[in-house]
Amino acid sequence: MAEVDISRDVIGFPGPAVDVEAIERELSNLWKAPDLVALTQMDVVPTRTSVLNLVLVAPDRVAAVRLARMMGQLSVHHPSRVVIFVTASDAADPSRALEAQVTTQCSAIPDAHIAPCFEQIIVPVPPRASHVIASVIPALVLPDLRTFLWWPGLPPLRDPGMVRVARAVDRLVIDSLDFTHCLVNLTRLYDLCRHLDQGCAISDLNWARMMTWREVMAQFFDAPDHQWALDAVSRMTLRYGHARGAADNPAQALLFAAWIASRLGWQVRGAERWGKEAMVFTARRPDGRDLTVVVERAPVPRRFNGLLLAATLTADDGRRSSEFRAARVDEDLGTIRVSTLVDGAPRLEYATRCTPSDVGELLVHDLRRPGHDTLYEDALDAARGFVGALRKREEL
């Protein structure tokens, strides 16, 4: 596959202002570059076709280079206009002109005589510049295309400007696995979602990582002879991974618990215990009976930090009892083994592979999904109930 990659710097205004006209002018000039002209002479037509706008925010220049490389690989199959805002302390210097970079990359498809191209713009912005980002996004993205904003790491959820940023795009993509102070930031994420209402959709790559877990749980309850257990759960125990030296992040376990709670109509009543190794909650079922939810952690290799390791649901209606269990097994923890006991007798057992997904794969999957994810939004709302119970427990 023949490739052409052309980049040019764009010297803009001094200080934090972004010279949008200069950026667009330089992008147009790239299409007159000799390398692209040479493609046409080889009977290969470079196509300036974009299916979406993808905006990213990088915390530093090193991260910007890594993200730019990832977007280059992604755009071979999803031609896009990519805008990367990179935080740079010198961008706030009023005596210096902002130096943006524009790139056009084309990859020729063998025997097809076309070379899909994507455009990438890297714009330095000063720290805490959500207001700058919100104002520049509409000027740099292509009109009439959906715009996705991926904010790796922890977005400034407390910054009032984040609402403006989110409203400038069609979807804000975050990853709660990157969150520090996970509990409080899940609540802040819910607050942002509530402020946006039916505007920008919010999606979480950490939620996408749980797809296999949600599927095996749904398959258990889909069986006709298991459906009675939906209304009779007495205990749910979840285990997530914590790597030595890594930040504790129970977001995935809490979102899984919140997903179950939102689907089955549970209301969190309180937190009985909160320690480093486990959180214990009391929830109330729609029939008025209480159940126990336990979220505990276990040591894992660093690549499994924050990931769900096991889920066990116990149900008893006074006449029947069942236990559903799904857990990561094998040395690489890459297999989920599912087992079911009904009245003490095994009824179902199987295994499915579930290795940690690459961030790029998760992002591609998210870009293909239209509209709001109401299941996630409901789970985020229910997660707020778990976090609120912990806060009340802390105040006692």
Side-chain angles (χ1 to χ4, degrees):
M1 180 182 290
E3 292 190 355
V4 173
D5 192 332
I6 309 170
S7 297
R8 290 182 184 173
D9 294 334
V10 183
I11 308 300
F13 302 123
V18 177
D19 192 343
V20 175
E21 290 186 2
I23 290 173
E24 290 289 355
R25 185 169 57 251
E26 200 57 52
L27 275 174
S28 297
N29 290 337
L30 289 181
W31 288 90
K32 305 172 186 176
D35 287 345
L36 286 182
V37 174
L39 277 180
T40 61
Q41 295 172 349
M42 296 166 57
D43 200 22
V44 175
V45 180
T47 59
R48 193 180 187 181
T49 302
S50 295
V51 297
L52 55 89
N53 297 299
L54 184 56
V55 181
L56 302 91
V57 182
D60 52 51
R61 297 185 189 277
V62 174
V65 171
R66 185 181 71 252
L67 291 172
R69 188 180 304 115
M70 182 188 301
M71 293 306 102
Q73 296 169 352
L74 182 150
S75 292
V76 171
H77 305 287
H78 294 78
S80 338
R81 170 169 286 193
V82 177
V83 181
I84 302 177
F85 294 99
V86 53
T87 301
S89 57
D90 57 357
D93 186 347
S95 65
R96 297 190 58 177
L98 276 181
E99 186 174 301
Q101 185 183 68
V102 295
T103 299
T104 295
Q105 179 176 310
C106 304
S107 300
I109 299 176
D111 302 323
H113 302 288
I114 62 171
C117 304
F118 85 99
E119 299 170 326
Q120 184 170 273
I121 306 166
I122 298 179
V123 182
V125 293
R128 298 177 295 278
S130 57
H131 61 291
V132 175
I133 294 173
S135 62
V136 173
I137 286 176
L140 288 182
V141 299
L142 296 172
D144 302 323
L145 293 179
R146 289 172 58 81
T147 300
F148 296 77
L149 168 61
W150 177 29
W151 199 306
L154 176 62
L157 298 172
R158 286 189 299 177
D159 186 343
M162 271 303 297
V163 175
R164 285 188 58 205
V165 171
R167 285 178 174 160
V169 298
D170 295 292
R171 180 179 298 163
L172 170 63
V173 182
I174 55 92
D175 189 351
S176 60
L177 190 63
D178 291 338
F179 283 7
T180 54
H181 307 294
C182 161
L183 300 179
V184 67
N185 281 307
L186 280 178
T187 302
R188 290 170 180 164
L189 183 61
Y190 169 79
D191 290 338
L192 176 62
C193 190
R194 181 172 53 84
H195 277 105
L196 295 174
D197 194 25
Q198 293 302 310
C200 164
I202 295 179
S203 55
D204 185 349
L205 299 184
N206 209 16
W207 175 255
R209 289 187 184 92
M210 290 193 293
M211 183 179 296
T212 301
W213 286 95
R214 289 184 280 125
E215 286 176 348
V216 298
M217 183 66 71
Q219 288 168 5
F220 166 73
F221 287 117
D222 280 345
D225 57 345
H226 294 164
Q227 290 181 1
W228 65 268
L230 286 168
D231 302 320
V233 176
S234 57
R235 184 182 181 89
M236 177 169 67
T237 302
L238 305 176
R239 183 177 300 120
Y240 69 96
H242 178 244
R244 185 176 181 179
D248 184 38
N249 188 324
Q252 195 171 107
L254 283 174
L255 285 170
F256 188 85
W259 170 63
I260 295 290
S262 65
R263 294 302 93 195
L264 299 185
W266 300 349
Q267 296 296 323
V268 180
R269 304 284 292 175
E272 296 181 8
R273 181 158 47 91
W274 181 13
K276 288 185 177 180
E277 303 304 323
M279 298 172 281
V280 182
F281 303 90
T282 299
R284 181 154 294 176
R285 301 185 325 215
D287 64 2
R289 300 195 176 208
D290 288 345
L291 69 134
T292 301
V293 178
V294 180
V295 179
E296 55 190 21
R297 72 182 193 182
V300 289
R302 183 169 285 268
R303 68 193 292 252
F304 285 92
N305 187 67
L307 299 190
L308 195 59
L309 301 178
T312 304
L313 268 72
T314 303
D316 192 326
D317 68 354
R319 296 180 297 109
R320 297 162 291 185
S321 64
S322 71
E323 180 183 271
F324 168 83
R325 176 176 173 78
R328 287 190 177 273
V329 295
D330 296 341
E331 290 186 5
D332 67 352
L333 296 177
T335 298
I336 296 178
R337 179 171 295 158
V338 181
S339 59
T340 305
L341 294 176
V342 178
D343 294 328
R347 287 287 185 88
L348 176 70
E349 186 165 348
Y350 67 93
T352 183
R353 290 293 290 173
C354 182
T355 55
S357 300
D358 176 79
V359 171
E361 295 173 358
L362 294 171
L363 184 62
V364 168
H365 176 270
D366 197 81
L367 296 179
R368 290 172 177 166
R369 185 174 49 77
H372 286 250
D373 186 341
T374 55
L375 289 180
Y376 173 69
E377 292 172 0
D378 290 345
L380 190 60
D381 187 7
R384 183 176 56 101
F386 284 97
V387 175
L390 291 174
R391 284 181 169 177
K392 289 181 181 177
R393 176 69 182 176
E394 191 178 30
E395 293 170 357
L396 295 178

